[in-house]
Each structure stands twice: as C-alpha cells, then as structure tokens.
Amino acid sequence: MILELAHFQILAAALFCLGLYGVLARRSAVMVLMAVELMLNAVNINLVAFSAFRDISIVTGQVIAIFVITVAAAEIGLALAVIMRLYRRRGTVNVDEIDWMKG
Amino acid sequence: MNIGIRDLFLISPELSVIVLAIIVVSLDLAVRRKGVVIAVAVIGLLVPMVAGVSVWSDIRTTGADTAFNGALVVDEFALYFKFLTVTVLALLFLSSSEYASRFHPFQAEFYGLLLLSSAGLMLLPAAGDLITVYISLELASLPVIALAAYNKTRLKSLEAGLKYLMLSAVSSAVLLYGFAFLYGATGTLQLVSFDPAIPAIGQMLMNGESSIPFGGVAVMVGVVLVVAGFGFKLSIVPFQMWTPDVYEGAPTPVAAYLAVASKAAAFAVVLRVFYTGLDPVASDWSLLFAVLAAITMTVGNVIAIAQTNVKRLLGYSAIAQAGYLLMGVAAYVGSGPDPELGIEAVLFYLAGYAAMNMTAFFVVMAVTNRTGDETIDGLAGMGRRAPLLAALLGLALLSLTGIPPTVGFIGKLFLFNAAINADMLWLAVIGLLNSVLSAYYYLSVVRVMYLRESDNPIRITLPLYAWAALAVTSCAILVLGLWPGGLLEVARQAALNLV
C-alpha cells in the first residue's frame, strides 16, 4: 500500500476529533490541556502532509508547524501556572467544580 | 530573505510598545514609587503614537507598503487600529491606576502584560499572511490569560483565567485547522495570493481536473473552521459562553481591555482575512455572518435582561454589540455600489463603541472599587451620591442603546445602512428590533441609579487623572455623535484599502 495524502488527512481528522472529544468530555483541567495538544498536533500533521505532497522543496507548512509547536509550549507553561494556583487554593483541578459564576 | 531598516521603520509603533513594556517592568525594580512607573507607562505611549504618525505620513505619500516580504501590510486600515489600540490603552492606564493598587507590589507587571498584549493587537490588523495572524493572535491572548487570573487571591479571577485559557487554546486549534485546509487547497499562506488561487480551484473542478486533493471541499471546510475559530475571539453565538464569565471574574480593567481593544482588533483581522483573502467565496461567508449576526444580537440582548451583576450585564451587552458589528462584516457587496460601506461602518462603530464602553467600564470600575458591590442594585442612589458619575454612566448606556445625539445612534445608523446597501433589509430590521429590546436593560440600570434610594452613605471620589480619562471618553461619545464627519472620512479612507 502506498501512503497518499488522504491517509494523512484521515489520521489528522481522527486525531482532531479525538482531541475535541477530550476537551468536551474530560473533567480534569490537565487532561483537557492534553486534548488541546492532540488537536494542535493534528493540525501539524495536516500542515506538514499538505506541504510535503504539494512540493517537497517549499517548506511553508513545516515552518508554520514549528511556530505552532513553539506557541503551544508557551501556552502550556502559562496554563500549568494557572492550574497550579487553582490547585493550591482549592485542592482540585476538576473543571466541573471550578464554576463559581452563574447566570 | 533580508530585513531592512524600512521594515523596522514600518513596525516601529509595535516595537516601541514592546520596548516600553520591558522598560516599565525593569524600571519597577529600580524605582520604589509605583506612581513613577505608571507615569512612565502613560507618557511612554506617546512614542508609539509619534511613530504611528510618522509611518502614516510616509505611506500617505508612497502608498500602502508591506514589511517582511508581505508578512505585514502597513496601510491606513492597519494604522487606524494601531491608533485606536494605543489610545484605548493610555485611557485604560489613567483610569485603572487606582484599581491596580490592589495588585501591589505587582502593578508594573500588570501594565507590562497589557502593553505586550496590545503589541499583538496592533500587529493583528496588519497581518498579511496566516502565520502572522496566528502569531499575533497568540501574542495578544497569552498575556490576557495571565491578566484575567491576575487577582490571584480571588477565586473568580482564577476561574476567569482558566476559562479564557481553555477557550482561547481550543479556538486557536480550530482556527489553525482551518488555516491548514486553506493552505492545503491553495498552496499559499499569503492573503493576497488567495484571490487568484481560490477561483483557479473552482475552474479546475469544473474542468474535471482533480489535481488538487479535496479542492473545493477543503476551501469550504477551511472557511467554516476559520469562522468558528474567529467566532470565539469575537464572542459571537454559539461561541460566546466564555464572555460573561471572564468579564465578571477578571479584574475590571482587563474586562474593559477585552471588551474594547481586543474586540476591535479581532474585528479588524476578520475584515482583513475575509475581505482581502477569502473574497472569492464571499457569497457563502457573508450569508453565514449575516445569520450569526442576527442570532448573536438576539441571544445577547435576551439573556442580558435577566442579569443582576453589572459586569456580567456588560458581558452580555458586549455579545449583543458584536452582533451589530457583525452586520457590517456581513454586508459584502463585492463589485456592487459603495463596496466600502460595510467596513467603514464597522470601523466607525468600533471607535464609538470604544468610547461608550470605556465610559461604562470606567464608571463601574470606580464604583465597584469603592463599594465592593458589583450588583446592579449596588448602583442605587448613584444619582445623589455621585451625580457626575451617574450622568456619565447614563450617557454611555444611552449611547449603547443607540439614542441620539450619541455616537451609538450614528454608528448603528451606518451599520443598518450598510446592511440595506447589501440587500439585507431583514438583517437591518432584526437589528432595529434588537435595539428596542436592549433599551429595556440599559435603561433599567439608569432607573436604578436615579429612582431607587439607597441607605449606603459611601461617596465616590476619583483621582484627577481618572476624571481626565472619563472626560475624554464621554466627550468622544457626544462629539462623534454630533460631528461624525471627520472620523467617518478617516474610516472611509481606511476601508478603501480592503476593497
């Protein structure tokens, strides 16, 4: 079997949906963050595959994938700081319990 | 790729804001008095202003220019938003210095983060390709996550930070997925190259040449995902859930910043991406935006009626206002008559919206900072206790409703006009009905302030510089409402860059 672009697209779409499901269904804030990572990596696969199958010598897709990885690292750093703070105050990272505003 | 002096000159407003952020944070280590740091931050904002004026006078003579090989487009449209962001930031600094004293000893970092985020907001409207859109969006929203959670002893603030973080992360992922599809279909990330690339795909599909995988479908999926991703930033229904929670939980200056500066830049980037990049498929997205606009303003206004917390009320009001603004985005006429009307109306309304929303937030900030009571009932008796503040909040709320002679009236008129110009009379009618609906909750706040007595003896006083900020914003409401011509012409010139 030869790997074609469509295979990568299907893999990426499956990963993205898995991530989206995780964001919606997971209760732990840390797990939600990991699900977001899954979504971002699905995007990266998509970008790199598109770029590689179109013209292997032009690396625009790979470049933006590297940008995405870098920004995601910064985002996670900030996220863990906020979650740490919440955990120290409340002893929980359950997103259902972190809900003090209604209306 | 080479970076010249010219490129650095063109981004000098953003560079000077970033340098100012570094100066403010490091000055805090050397100077003991916080007042000095705040003064430096406010006066320092003159530098990006001056840089912006010099860039503006330069491109007035040579025409719109691009920097960094097309990654940034520096035209009057981008500069309009740079001036708006810097002005909003300066007024916000002036009015929030008293509020920020509760963050002692971390005030300087508070201002530093606001400055860094606004550098992102200034880059956003100038984005020439999708990488720049993504990077500046993240530059703008990452500091806001920290700012929303800045009041770290207050649980609601941490909750606001966490919610903003989760939703901005998910929306970025959705947006990027959309970008990936657009890139896959067109083979480019540059907005200006989309125009020939997308019609070419359509042509190939018609000829039955399927050399491009998922050609037409990829563009369609990409556009839908991009609308969803931006929808979070614009807080349009059904992506609005985070808005009231974040506005209520975040420190009030941060909520004001999100409601005014962040929203303006988000609309700017949507206009840029859709009008310069995706206009070949405009007939599809303009209808999508029109429907979303109608739903957004209705949902925002209906839920706002039931609110008891002032900041939450302003959150739902911001959703409804996003709906009105979205009408202007949807009013795409292509090669029809007056193609710039929609963009022009959005640009004008964003400036007016900044004036009225800032007035409302500044008064609410002053009052809640003194009384610690964020409910609408807490405003009772304001007409007697703080007559001037009550009058200013009343003016802002009348303007948000859209009552003449305020800027809210003129701005809405232009938005409705743009919708009618684009053959969307139904949308203008829904907008009009919504304005009537919104009068109920805006004016009920005014009623509580003037007609309900309160035994709360607290008098509300403000420092002089906060009064100065309020004077500027409230004068802007009236001046732009009575003489809209000047700003309208500037907005028109800026809008012509996109059509």
Side-chain angles (χ1 to χ4, degrees), chain B residues 334-371:
Chain B
S335 53
D338 301 323
E340 81 285 358
L341 263 188
I343 308 172
E344 181 189 344
V346 173
L347 295 193
F348 181 82
Y349 196 78
L350 278 172
Y353 175 72
M356 53 205 188
N357 225 14
M358 272 200 291
T359 311
F361 267 107
F362 289 173
V363 175
V364 168
M365 191 186 339
V367 175
T368 56
N369 196 28
R370 266 312 136 82
T371 62

Side-chain angles (χ1 to χ4, degrees), chain B residues 142-189:
Chain B
L142 286 184
V144 175
I145 296 168
L147 285 168
Y150 210 78
N151 209 342
K152 56 189 183 212
T153 52
R154 195 164 165 259
L155 279 172
K156 278 185 177 179
S157 179
L158 287 172
E159 181 190 344
L162 188 69
K163 280 191 171 157
Y164 190 74
L165 163 83
M166 296 286 181
L167 284 163
S168 96
V170 173
S171 71
S172 300
V174 173
L175 189 69
L176 271 173
Y177 202 39
F179 285 174
F181 275 111
L182 290 177
Y183 168 67
T186 61
T188 177
L189 287 165

Side-chain angles (χ1 to χ4, degrees), chain B residues 178-328:
Chain B
F179 285 174
F181 275 111
L182 290 177
Y183 168 67
T186 61
T188 177
L189 287 165
Q190 293 243 321
L191 290 173
V192 282
S193 326
F194 277 170
D195 203 345
I198 292 177
I201 294 169
Q203 200 58 45
M204 278 188 203
L205 285 176
M206 281 223 270
N207 301 345
E209 302 166 21
S210 57
S211 70
I212 296 171
F214 317 108
V217 184
V219 174
M220 200 177 69
V221 173
V223 169
V224 171
L225 288 171
V226 169
V227 169
F230 281 133
F232 281 100
K233 311 283 175 196
L234 299 175
S235 67
I236 55 178
V237 178
F239 314 106
Q240 90 295 8
M241 310 78 79
W242 60 274
T243 316
D245 284 352
V246 172
Y247 281 25
E248 183 188 341
T252 319
V254 178
Y257 176 80
L258 270 175
V260 176
S262 183
K263 175 163 284 179
F267 269 100
V269 73
V270 166
L271 285 173
R272 172 78 79 188
V273 168
F274 283 88
Y275 276 76
T276 60
L278 299 172
D279 52 331
V281 287
S283 55
D284 299 321
W285 57 252
S286 77
L287 189 64
L288 182 60
F289 275 137
V291 173
L292 286 176
I295 300 174
T296 301
M297 53 186 144
T298 313
V299 168
N301 280 328
V302 169
I303 304 182
I305 290 174
Q307 297 308 313
T308 52
N309 179 302
V310 179
K311 281 164 79 181
R312 230 179 150 73
L313 178 91
L314 287 174
Y316 280 106
S317 139
I319 295 172
Q321 300 283 338
Y324 300 133
L325 281 161
L326 208 56
M327 286 195 333

